[in-house]
Amino acid sequence: MNFQKRFLKRFLLAGLMASGISCEKSDTDIPGKPSEPVITPPGQLMGTPTKATIGAEGGALAMPDQYISVRVPAGAVDANTEFSIQEVTPNAAVSTGRLFRVLPEGITLKKPVEITFRYTEADIAGSSEDYLYPCYQSSDGRWHKVMDCTLDKKNKTLKATTTHFSDWSWYREIEIHSPKNEIGSEEEVELEVNAMDAYRQSAQGEDLVLTGRPLTTDKIVGWKVVSGGGTISGGKSPKIKYTAPATDSKMEVIIEVTVKNVISQSHPDRPGNGGLSIVRKTLTILPEEYVIWTIGGKKYSAKFFALSVFDGRAIMTATAVESEIGFHTNGTKLGRYSFGKRDDPRTSTFSGSDNLVSYHSDYTECDTYEKVIGEGAVVFEIFGESGGGIVQGTFEGTLYNIKKCDVTARHVIGSFRVRRTY
């Protein structure tokens, strides 16, 4: 199956894992099937794949940094087969660990293969390794928790066995969600603590389907700023507002929430069940003005940028050391401007560069001469008045380059907060 052609709705994911030699527990199903499983569209591939041809004798492959490795036992396949691991663009639903596509998809394995993740202290900051689980995305877009896994705290590894390949990562069951992890000086952002549960999709199902579980006020003990400054408003609520401190240089803050009686209601023997759990979130505070973006898997911060309005159109350009981006929007009102034709109402056009190659939000097919427009949009959250008003927003989408009728694509995502020049 082609992962890139599936499109499903987005839902938030975070997660938890039990400690001990094995992750497997005597699971008790959650009564009633939740109506909202965690479903997301597949991510886009980025970086260079790691490949290995493995035959009946077995073998192994791993990413260069050893973050993920795959061991294929002898007898898993009958003939030489190409296996590969490639990183996938980050997914808000599985934001705890990096995301990888393990291929070939759809292959029949006669023996389970072993997938190993290596985590660091930074990966589990604000939580505990006791709260980690492997997870994978099935062809219908659903995310699944792997119960049969092994946690090795000494070597900081998390292992799972499987007979199928797809997109794999790991997650925690409780997490503080922010719409973005980098915000501007004195900017206000809404933070929400989320929890995950899971259920069996069928009586024969081996792994559990992940589903979000909203927290209620009685589960919240309190929020606080651990370091870095700023203020919190909202009291003992699952949702609060955080206002960043004033700063003229890049800095980090740590936000903390203490919750009770929320960890894995379906697993009463897990750490923290019925007690208190502390979860932290690190946010990066940027100067008052910024433009940041990721394209081709590389992250950039603009050295120079400008945003102006001419004839009712907003035009922004931003330049970093090795990349640049720019967009036009057909309007300046708050909200979403989808990629489209420049003269269509409520649309935007976008361009960006990666390794000195330019990519655009549309291209013309060689055979049909039809214009193809990528999925994506520019979103305005604040649009100040001319003469120095703040304009703030986000952008995300697919950009294309066409050369000799060969089309390549890049995923771009970013945010901005700049003062208007006009």
Side-chain angles (χ1 to χ4, degrees):
M1 300 179 186
N2 186 343
F3 248 49
Q4 295 296 334
K5 291 185 178 178
R6 303 186 192 101
F7 180 80
L8 298 160
K9 64 183 178 179
R10 183 183 296 262
F11 194 88
L12 177 70
L13 169 66
L16 168 143
M17 167 182 166
S19 62
I21 296 177
S22 173
C23 303
E24 189 170 15
K25 299 290 182 181
S26 55
D27 179 43
T28 302
D29 292 346
I30 299 170
K33 184 175 179 180
S35 59
E36 291 290 346
V38 174
I39 301 176
T40 71
Q44 296 187 11
L45 293 169
M46 65 182 193
T48 303
T50 295
K51 298 181 179 181
T53 299
I54 299 175
E57 71 282 0
L61 70 159
M63 292 295 286
D65 61 0
Q66 301 295 313
Y67 190 93
I68 179 176
S69 60
V70 176
R71 186 180 66 84
V72 182
V77 293
D78 292 329
N80 286 347
T81 304
E82 184 179 80
F83 293 82
S84 68
I85 306 172
Q86 189 168 0
E87 193 156 4
V88 176
T89 50
N91 187 322
V94 284
S95 59
T96 302
R98 289 159 59 191
L99 186 58
F100 295 89
R101 185 159 301 158
V102 185
L103 298 175
E105 185 186 6
I107 188 175
T108 300
L109 295 167
K110 294 186 175 181
K111 292 183 179 180
V113 301
E114 184 179 79
I115 297 178
T116 301
F117 291 97
R118 294 186 181 276
Y119 60 89
T120 66
E121 290 296 332
D123 290 328
I124 58 174
S127 187
S128 166
E129 54 207 311
D130 289 327
Y131 305 150
L132 308 181
Y133 269 117
C135 60
Y136 68 88
Q137 187 177 33
S138 55
S139 60
D140 58 5
R142 285 174 168 80
W143 284 92
H144 302 258
K145 174 172 66 175
V146 180
M147 291 295 298
D148 187 5
C149 59
T150 302
L151 174 67
D152 184 342
K153 294 183 180 180
K154 181 179 179 180
N155 294 307
K156 286 186 166 48
T157 62
L158 181 62
K159 296 182 180 181
T161 57
T162 184
T163 55
H164 65 272
F165 292 140
S166 57
D167 285 9
W168 282 77
S169 186
W170 52 267
Y171 75 98
R172 299 185 300 215
E173 192 168 42
I174 301 178
E175 185 177 67
I176 297 173
H177 174 68
S178 171
K180 49 189 177 181
N181 293 324
E182 296 172 306
I183 62 176
S185 172
E186 298 184 285
E187 185 177 345
E188 184 180 83
V189 66
E190 185 176 77
L191 303 180
E192 180 178 10
V193 59
N194 296 279
M196 292 301 303
D197 246 323
Y199 65 91
R200 293 196 183 281
Q201 197 168 12
S202 65
Q204 295 76 30
E206 295 181 1
D207 298 324
L208 305 180
V209 178
L210 289 167
T211 181
R213 178 157 55 87
L215 298 185
T216 51
T217 302
D218 64 298
K219 304 294 185 184
I220 309 301
V221 177
W223 293 79
K224 70 177 182 179
V225 179
V226 177
S227 65
T231 59
I232 288 175
S233 62
K236 296 182 179 181
S237 169
K239 291 184 180 181
I240 58 96
K241 289 185 178 180
Y242 169 73
T243 302
T247 180
D248 56 5
S249 61
K250 188 175 180 180
M251 62 177 290
E252 288 189 342
V253 300
I254 299 176
I255 316 298
E256 178 182 286
V257 62
T258 302
V259 297
K260 61 181 180 180
N261 304 327
V262 298
I263 294 183
S264 198
Q265 301 297 318
S266 59
H267 304 283
D269 52 351
R270 291 213 171 164
N273 186 74
L276 301 179
S277 298
I278 296 174
V279 185
R280 290 181 173 180
K281 179 76 173 181
T282 299
L283 295 175
T284 299
I285 311 302
L286 300 169
E288 183 182 34
E289 295 183 80
Y290 61 85
V291 183
I292 53 175
W293 69 92
T294 299
I295 186 169
K298 298 177 183 178
K299 190 171 183 178
Y300 299 94
S301 179
K303 300 293 184 182
F304 307 99
F305 49 81
L307 187 146
S308 302
V309 177
F310 298 98
D311 296 327
R313 301 172 186 266
I315 303 171
M316 191 183 81
T317 59
T319 303
V321 175
E322 297 179 341
S323 179
E324 59 184 12
I325 58 101
F327 64 73
H328 291 66
T329 62
N330 195 1
T332 60
K333 294 183 179 180
L334 301 187
R336 179 184 177 90
Y337 292 77
S338 298
F339 292 172
K341 297 178 180 179
R342 181 167 295 190
D343 293 330
D344 288 346
R346 204 75 178 193
T347 57
S348 64
T349 57
F350 202 101
S351 63
S353 66
D354 179 34
N355 289 328
L356 302 179
V357 178
S358 296
Y359 293 82
H360 304 274
S361 54
D362 59 59
Y363 70 94
T364 301
E365 288 188 334
C366 288
D367 297 335
T368 63
Y369 299 102
E370 292 183 358
K371 185 174 288 292
V372 177
I373 298 173
E375 292 287 338
V378 176
V379 178
F380 290 131
E381 300 166 350
I382 298 173
F383 211 104
E385 298 294 330
S386 61
I390 286 289
V391 180
Q392 177 179 305
T394 61
F395 52 84
E396 182 174 8
T398 303
L399 307 180
Y400 302 97
N401 173 271
I402 184 168
K403 185 176 182 180
K404 295 182 180 180
C405 295
D406 289 330
V407 179
T408 56
R410 291 291 185 272
H411 178 258
V412 64
I413 183 172
S415 59
F416 56 92
R417 192 168 191 262
V418 301
R419 290 192 178 277
R420 288 179 55 175
T421 54
Y422 294 99

